[in-house]
Amino acid sequence: SIMVFGMNQILLAFTATATAVFGVYFKLQSFIFMPVFGLNNGMVPIVAYNYGARKPDRIIKTIKLSVIYAVGIMLVGLILFQVIPHLFLGLFMAEGETSGDMLTIGVPALRIISLSFLFAGFAIVCSSVFQALGHGVLSLTVSVVRQLLVLLPVAFVLSRLNGLQAVWWAFPIAELFSLTLSALFLKRVYHKEILPMREHA
């Protein structure tokens, strides 16, 4: 994707090891995010069905439960990344590879990037809610803003101002923007589409 290409270009300005660390993170995050995407796949038809059946209370309950479970899964991921980042990095280091640089760069990188997990759980659920209610363009907007308008520019600016260590902070910053935008969109959808169902019930 454009985001991966852009991040690799920013990181290559420092060292090839930094891009290797980013590659490892990208592989590892899929293990954390996968259960959340699975949860969402189960949630979308429930929200869509109850939207069609004009049952707002069930929609709200489903969204609340999904957010709780998603944030719970992400919290587990965050704890693992904070406590054993060196073990995760070790899984991807080649036999006999000198681990010095990889661990020096990778351990703080995984700890900083994983701070974004808590925000991401909420944003991912919101994205699926928008799709279930026929507002795919809202999901797309959040995704584009997060990756292209926040993550890459912030990573670039931080790389120039404070070096490699600062670049990783672009992830939690971008995810915080994503959470804020998702919450605003969710509030708008709630007031325009879910709340009127209750009032006309």
Side-chain angles (χ1 to χ4, degrees):
S1 71
I2 296 171
M3 187 274 285
V4 174
F5 176 78
M7 278 303 297
N8 280 333
Q9 294 308 305
I10 292 167
L11 294 170
L12 270 173
F14 294 99
T15 162
T17 309
T19 60
V21 165
F22 179 58
V24 168
Y25 161 72
F26 222 71
K27 291 187 182 86
L28 288 170
Q29 69 146 19
S30 62
F31 291 105
I32 309 294
F33 282 59
M34 215 179 291
V36 179
F37 289 133
L39 174 81
N40 277 6
N41 288 341
M43 178 198 71
V44 168
I46 295 170
V47 170
Y49 172 80
N50 285 295
Y51 181 60
R54 316 288 292 171
K55 293 182 177 173
D57 291 340
R58 285 191 178 182
I59 296 172
I60 294 160
K61 186 181 176 185
T62 304
I63 293 169
K64 281 181 179 172
L65 281 173
S66 298
V67 167
I68 290 165
Y69 285 127
V71 172
I73 292 165
M74 289 303 200
L75 182 60
V76 172
L78 170 64
I79 291 166
L80 290 172
F81 271 61
Q82 295 299 318
V83 176
I84 53 168
H86 52 288
L87 293 183
F88 285 138
L89 290 161
L91 295 172
F92 292 91
M93 285 192 285
E95 194 82 23
E97 186 182 341
T98 51
S99 62
D101 272 2
M102 190 77 163
L103 291 178
T104 306
I105 294 171
V107 167
L110 293 189
R111 284 184 174 143
I112 293 167
I113 296 173
S114 62
L115 296 173
S116 65
F117 288 178
L118 290 179
F119 308 137
F122 176 80
I124 291 168
V125 170
C126 285
S127 176
S128 293
V129 169
F130 301 146
Q131 288 171 26
L133 299 178
H135 294 291
V137 71
L138 296 182
S139 292
L140 184 64
T141 302
V142 172
S143 184
V144 169
V145 167
R146 184 178 68 84
Q147 293 188 28
L148 303 184
L149 301 184
V150 182
L151 181 62
L152 288 178
V154 169
F156 180 74
V157 170
L158 289 176
S159 74
R160 292 301 173 97
L161 292 178
N162 292 308
L164 177 60
Q165 192 84 334
V167 173
W168 312 117
W169 285 100
F171 287 88
I173 290 168
E175 216 57 69
L176 190 55
F177 266 86
S178 178
L179 179 141
T180 306
L181 199 55
S182 296
L184 289 171
F185 285 161
L186 187 64
K187 189 178 176 185
R188 186 175 129 198
V189 167
Y190 174 77
H191 283 289
K192 281 183 74 177
E193 302 192 15
I194 298 172
L195 199 59
M197 281 189 218
R198 278 184 148 172
E199 289 165 355
H200 296 114

